[in-house]
Amino acid sequence: MKQVARKVVWEGELFDVVVERWGAKVREIVEHGGSVTIVPVDREGRIVLTRQFRESARATLLELPAGMLDPGEIPLAAAQRELAEETGLHGGTWRQLRTVQPSPGFVREPVTIFVAEDLDEGERDLDAGEEIEVVRLTAAQLEAELGSLEDAKTLVGVLLYLRERA
Amino acid sequence: MKQVARKVVWEGELFDVVVERWGAKVREIVEHGGSVTIVPVDREGRIVLTRQFRESARATLLELPAGMLDPGEIPLAAAQRELAEETGLHGGTWRQLRTVQPSPGFVREPVTIFVAEDLDEGERDLDAGEEIEVVRLTAAQLEAELGSLEDAKTLVGVLLYLRERA
């Protein structure tokens, strides 16, 4: 099956919407440039998360630090930039854990998940108007919080990280 | 912070796009009616997955059975309908595992994940043009396949289910 027609029906700042024809199928697709998520571990072995109000979900969510790629940016650079901005953590040792698709039925948004360890502390650099609380949890505390996590990329990163340590 | 303005900028079959103003922030949001995902366990203890080409991801993905809510449908009814259509499995014992947000930065799509056990076998009922392969894996085989899973809701469902059994 090949894509035979394609039309951009909405262009936004964060994503576009395209309608594609694949044989007899019509697919509405949200095209996003891609995102990164980090499992950051501080020098005391605590996992560093963020808590912020998410307008789209109408809820305050506890999440792993995350953000979107700038145009032309590679995932590792975006992940290091986002982590430093949101938490001040920088340096350290980085490895790629997994790339996931959050909602492959209608969204194209590759999300690359990293683990960052032996991080150095530093100053945060939030955008104007960003209100992000930093939350540090030991692995045992994070296990106890698993039931309250709603963000899928956070659950994937946390569950894969905890499996490695088990 | 309250939402002070809202405009629908694109209306599709599967989702709409809205632009909302929250104080000084402008948010582009994909509004989707919600989805369901099932961790189905057959009478031999195997987990039942599906493999299909996902146009949005340009890839063939191994996923848990899933689908979207019909208008007015409750998640459990949608999950039982989708599982029967895609795999023929029906009946059995159902429980809700978790509701997640796949991409809360810009998508509102609650995904309710169920576990279904003691299922009865039956006939599939695919939509015209749907090509979905059914794949049954023991828990040990699924553990060995974890590295090849890319779909976030599938990873969340599988990892939470495997944790329960550990």
Side-chain angles (χ1 to χ4, degrees):
Chain A
M1 187 80 70
K2 284 192 175 174
Q3 178 198 325
V4 292
R6 172 186 163 85
K7 186 179 175 192
V8 178
V9 295
W10 189 72
E11 289 186 79
E13 296 291 317
L14 286 192
F15 58 84
D16 298 335
V17 177
V18 301
V19 175
E20 295 178 349
R21 184 174 292 279
W22 294 72
K25 297 181 199 168
V26 175
R27 289 288 181 265
E28 299 171 352
I29 299 174
V30 177
E31 290 197 322
H32 183 282
S35 302
V36 291
T37 298
I38 308 102
V39 184
V41 186
D42 73 11
R43 292 196 176 249
E44 295 175 43
R46 295 174 302 186
I47 298 94
V48 183
L49 297 105
T50 61
R51 200 190 322 259
Q52 63 182 308
F53 181 72
R54 289 297 204 168
E55 289 82 5
S56 74
R58 276 81 165 119
T60 297
L61 300 183
L62 184 62
E63 297 174 63
L64 290 170
M68 55 186 292
L69 303 186
D70 284 340
E73 195 176 32
I74 64 170
L76 178 60
Q80 293 178 333
R81 176 181 54 73
E82 289 284 351
L83 183 65
E85 288 174 3
E86 293 187 358
T87 69
L89 294 163
H90 60 277
T93 307
W94 289 68
R95 61 191 162 87
Q96 188 170 321
L97 191 61
R98 182 70 61 102
T99 297
V100 298
Q101 295 285 343
S103 202
F106 65 101
V107 180
R108 179 155 70 251
E109 181 202 5
V111 179
T112 308
I113 307 176
F114 296 90
V115 174
E117 294 170 294
D118 298 317
L119 290 159
D120 297 315
E121 302 288 333
E123 292 297 314
R124 305 170 72 191
D125 181 22
L126 295 181
D127 292 338
E130 270 192 312
E131 290 176 35
I132 301 179
E133 178 192 358
V134 174
V135 177
R136 300 187 185 220
L137 301 176
T138 65
Q141 288 169 331
L142 187 54
E143 297 255 3
E145 279 293 325
L146 276 181
S148 70
L149 298 178
E150 292 177 47
D151 172 43
K153 66 182 178 306
T154 296
L155 276 161
V156 171
V158 163
L159 290 168
L160 288 176
Y161 176 73
L162 291 174
R163 269 180 75 87
E164 286 185 351
R165 298 181 74 259
Chain B
M1 188 79 72
K2 285 195 175 173
Q3 179 198 324
V4 292
R6 172 187 163 85
K7 186 180 175 190
V8 178
V9 294
W10 189 72
E11 289 186 79
E13 295 292 316
L14 286 191
F15 57 83
D16 297 335
V17 177
V18 302
V19 175
E20 295 179 349
R21 184 174 292 279
W22 293 73
K25 297 181 199 169
V26 175
R27 289 288 181 265
E28 300 170 350
I29 299 173
V30 177
E31 289 197 323
H32 183 282
S35 302
V36 290
T37 297
I38 308 102
V39 184
V41 185
D42 73 12
R43 293 198 176 247
E44 296 176 43
R46 295 174 302 185
I47 298 94
V48 183
L49 298 105
T50 60
R51 200 189 322 259
Q52 63 182 308
F53 181 72
R54 288 298 203 168
E55 289 82 5
S56 74
R58 275 81 166 117
T60 298
L61 300 183
L62 184 62
E63 297 173 63
L64 290 171
M68 56 186 293
L69 304 186
D70 285 340
E73 195 176 31
I74 64 169
L76 177 60
Q80 294 178 332
R81 176 180 54 73
E82 288 283 351
L83 182 65
E85 287 175 4
E86 294 188 358
T87 70
L89 294 163
H90 61 277
T93 307
W94 290 69
R95 61 192 162 87
Q96 188 170 323
L97 192 60
R98 182 71 63 101
T99 297
V100 298
Q101 296 284 345
S103 202
F106 65 101
V107 179
R108 180 156 70 249
E109 181 202 5
V111 179
T112 307
I113 307 176
F114 296 90
V115 174
E117 295 170 294
D118 298 317
L119 291 158
D120 297 315
E121 303 288 333
E123 293 296 315
R124 306 169 72 192
D125 180 23
L126 296 180
D127 291 338
E130 268 192 315
E131 291 176 34
I132 301 179
E133 177 191 359
V134 174
V135 178
R136 300 186 185 222
L137 301 176
T138 64
Q141 288 169 331
L142 187 54
E143 297 254 3
E145 280 292 326
L146 276 181
S148 70
L149 299 178
E150 292 177 48
D151 172 42
K153 66 182 178 305
T154 296
L155 276 162
V156 171
V158 163
L159 290 167
L160 288 176
Y161 176 73
L162 291 175
R163 269 181 75 87
E164 285 185 351
R165 299 181 73 257

